[in-house]
Amino acid sequence: LTAMNSSAVSYTLTNSGVWNVSDNWNPNGIPTTGDVAIIATGRSITGLGGTSPTITTLTIQGTGALVVDAGTLTVSGVTTIGSSGAANLTIESGATFASTSTASGAYIFGGTGSSITNNGTFTCTGGNGSGGTTPIFQNNGTVTFTGSQQSFNSAVAVIQGTNAALNLNSSSTTPFGGSSTLNASATDNTVTYG
């Protein structure tokens, strides 16, 4: 787990809109280095507003949604996408989502109907995660996992789109654990392991 600094603030999205509008968050402000961002159920971030924040923890609750439209969103601690409910994370073409934690359990992905749609770049540089009731990871861009941990465990359905790249550069011998599945039947997609 990543320790929070003493000046870290936990922000909850109370008004849907872009990331860098302080009135959208409670308390009033903008999550930045070392902070916690919680996207409340029924709320959505429609873009980063030209910023590239690095935060400690990201939680998308229930039916919350986050679109990384440009730039990079970096999470140094735990990322939770819908531990219950149909939460959604979308990374647009040209944008990047990066999980830099090396801890086991660095990401939790999984209420029924939860999804990650990657049209850009998704990187995870260490820790493993868990899935819930068959969340869907739709990759239409580039996904890279590195480190020694299992990339997907539990019950994640990974679907490769046309021209997508999935790089499992992990020393783990079981990148797909539990009942996770990989569908790589789309045209010109690649899966690299090792």
Side-chain angles (χ1 to χ4, degrees):
L1 296 174
T2 302
M4 289 176 39
N5 66 48
S6 60
S7 61
V9 177
S10 180
Y11 291 95
T12 300
L13 185 72
T14 54
N15 298 308
S16 295
V18 295
W19 185 277
N20 65 339
V21 174
S22 60
D23 289 343
N24 290 339
W25 299 94
N26 183 18
N28 195 319
I30 301 168
T32 187
T33 303
D35 291 335
V36 171
I38 300 167
I39 312 298
T41 190
R43 304 289 187 258
S44 61
I45 288 288
T46 56
L48 297 181
T51 63
S52 286
T54 298
I55 58 175
T56 300
T57 303
L58 172 66
T59 301
I60 305 174
Q61 298 175 331
T63 58
L66 169 61
V67 175
V68 180
D69 62 334
T72 301
L73 175 60
T74 303
V75 181
S76 62
V78 175
T79 298
T80 303
I81 301 169
S83 59
S84 64
N88 178 262
L89 169 65
T90 301
I91 301 97
E92 297 292 3
S93 179
T96 300
F97 178 87
S99 171
T100 60
S101 175
T102 58
S104 179
Y107 52 93
I108 302 163
F109 175 37
T112 301
S114 289
S115 65
I116 297 175
T117 301
N118 177 49
N119 300 311
T121 302
F122 182 100
T123 62
C124 187
T125 57
N128 70 347
S130 60
T133 309
T134 318
I136 296 173
F137 191 122
Q138 174 69 50
N139 179 33
N140 302 313
T142 301
V143 173
T144 302
F145 285 91
T146 58
S148 62
Q149 301 288 337
Q150 178 175 299
S151 301
F152 296 99
N153 63 11
S154 194
V156 179
V158 180
I159 302 169
Q160 286 284 93
T162 300
N163 297 317
L166 174 60
N167 304 304
L168 302 171
N169 301 323
S170 169
S171 59
S172 171
T173 57
T174 57
F176 295 92
S179 57
S180 289
T181 60
L182 171 64
N183 178 339
S185 61
T187 306
D188 296 328
N189 81 87
T190 58
V191 178
T192 305
Y193 178 72

